[in-house]
Amino acid sequence: MSPLKVVHIADLHAGKVNNKTLNRNDDLLHSLEQVLDLIKEEKPHYLIVAGDIFDKSRPDSESSKLIGEFFIKVAEKGTKVVAIGGNHDGGSFLEIFKPWSKAWNIEIFPKLDINNFIYTDGEVAIALVPYISEKGITDLSEGESQSKIQYAERIKKLLQLAGKKVEGFKYRILTAHLFFANTKVGKTEQEITVSDTYAVEQSAIPETFQYVALGHVHRYQRLEEAKTDAFYTGSLYQLDFGEEGQEKFFNYVVIENNRPKVEKVKLSLKRILKKVILSQESSINDLTEFKKPNLYLWVEIEAKTPHEFSIKREQLEKFFGENLLKVTVRFQNLRSDNLKKQNSKSDSIKDPLKMYREYYQYLGRGWDPSLERVLKHLVEKLNHQTT
């Protein structure tokens, strides 16, 4: 087996739904078909799936069928599948796959088994570290800061043990679903540190491994501080608006002469997510350029009153239809000039009826005479009690 060829993917999130209406399985399938095309062409020895296979611990039948069929198609091409569980995956659910999957050379490792976390196949050893919750390996009663230190130290020891166990094998790979410090998440350049969350220092990865296939972070990146080639390949499609603008990739890795050659393979996207702002001065027609079949929007409306926001939202819904996933508001001049003036006059504050009428006007609603009668009664009763 020389050289060793591996495809690395992660964070499939089968069953992902946006805004309770848009099922993203078509997006996932679109990306998986591109992965399968490369597998057909390059005939790699392994497909490594680094966790978060599903978006929920108990996925729906459609999502389960999608993943099962994909794994079988990969296996039919002669490529072995090695998959670990992520924080979104239900360990007990993934166990259901195991009885039939081994017959297809599909190996699934839902949870860490300290007595069986090295997959071996001839000259190949793959260390398997599924998602490990801090609740399982730290004493949370000692405080968050201390438990973060405990978590990092215990994961480091686990990785060191994994490194020792793979010594002597020609090909040595680690796959893990973990947060490593100084990685970048979302569409920002902000880095996650050990103090921010339950993360592990990149230096904890033993250089024994020739390649490290990671999952958990949805943005493609190499761990620059690691002593070996370690990568997050990120999610296979834009999962939500936090990934707006992100291109998506997976890795094709060839290990030869103890060194990996990593090819970053770009994916085409079935749907693109984008956030736009409808300013106070703009009209719906100014957003015409965003009316595309594969573009799904979050529109933030600048408005002066809830009534104005309501009208613009209705116009957007008619214009974009199902491609409008989310609408939010950014109020400009939250109070009318009249309200501002009245807030500066103490005598106006003493007239709650007048304030309530102006509030209704601000909302764009008609005044309810029956409400006025109730309010008058309450005001009179209050005045009587205080005199």
Side-chain angles (χ1 to χ4, degrees), residues 100-206:
W100 62 264
S101 61
K102 286 194 175 184
W104 289 91
N105 283 320
I106 301 168
E107 299 284 347
I108 300 176
F109 300 86
K111 296 180 180 179
L112 178 68
D113 180 354
I114 197 64
N115 298 313
N116 181 31
F117 76 113
I118 308 295
Y119 167 84
T120 60
D121 183 21
E123 299 175 309
V124 179
I126 304 176
L128 309 148
V129 182
Y131 175 73
I132 302 173
S133 171
E134 67 277 5
K135 296 176 183 178
I137 62 170
T138 65
D139 184 356
L140 298 177
S141 65
E142 294 185 12
E144 187 178 38
S145 297
Q146 186 60 35
S147 63
K148 286 176 180 178
I149 295 171
Q150 287 180 2
Y151 183 85
E153 286 299 317
R154 288 173 184 178
I155 296 296
K156 180 179 179 179
K157 289 180 180 179
L158 175 64
L159 297 180
Q160 290 173 339
L161 175 62
K164 291 179 181 178
K165 285 183 174 289
V166 302
E167 288 177 352
F169 287 87
K170 183 176 181 179
Y171 300 108
R172 304 172 300 278
I173 295 172
L174 166 66
T175 182
H177 196 86
L178 297 170
F179 256 136
F180 282 91
N182 302 325
T183 54
K184 296 172 182 177
V185 299
K187 61 183 179 181
T188 69
E189 294 295 324
Q190 183 178 359
E191 295 182 345
I192 295 295
T193 66
V194 172
S195 61
D196 291 328
T197 187
Y198 288 90
V200 185
E201 294 289 356
Q202 296 182 25
S203 59
I205 301 174

Side-chain angles (χ1 to χ4, degrees), residues 187-233:
K187 61 183 179 181
T188 69
E189 294 295 324
Q190 183 178 359
E191 295 182 345
I192 295 295
T193 66
V194 172
S195 61
D196 291 328
T197 187
Y198 288 90
V200 185
E201 294 289 356
Q202 296 182 25
S203 59
I205 301 174
E207 55 187 325
T208 314
F209 295 105
Q210 296 151 326
Y211 181 77
V212 181
L214 298 173
H216 204 13
V217 174
H218 294 171
R219 179 174 177 168
Y220 183 96
Q221 60 200 284
R222 185 186 186 279
L223 269 60
E224 299 297 337
E225 299 171 19
K227 300 172 186 175
T228 187
D229 287 274
F231 286 84
Y232 286 110
T233 51

Side-chain angles (χ1 to χ4, degrees), residues 20-63:
K20 300 182 180 179
T21 58
L22 182 63
N23 190 305
R24 305 300 301 283
N25 278 348
D26 284 347
D27 300 75
L28 174 58
L29 182 60
H30 180 74
S31 294
L32 291 178
E33 287 172 346
Q34 296 171 69
V35 175
L36 190 60
D37 286 342
L38 182 136
I39 288 173
K40 291 176 183 176
E41 183 178 346
E42 299 294 342
K43 298 177 173 57
H45 299 96
Y46 299 97
L47 169 69
I48 295 178
V49 186
D52 278 357
I53 303 166
F54 296 101
D55 192 61
K56 298 179 178 63
S57 60
R58 292 184 178 275
D60 58 275
S61 57
E62 176 195 321
S63 304

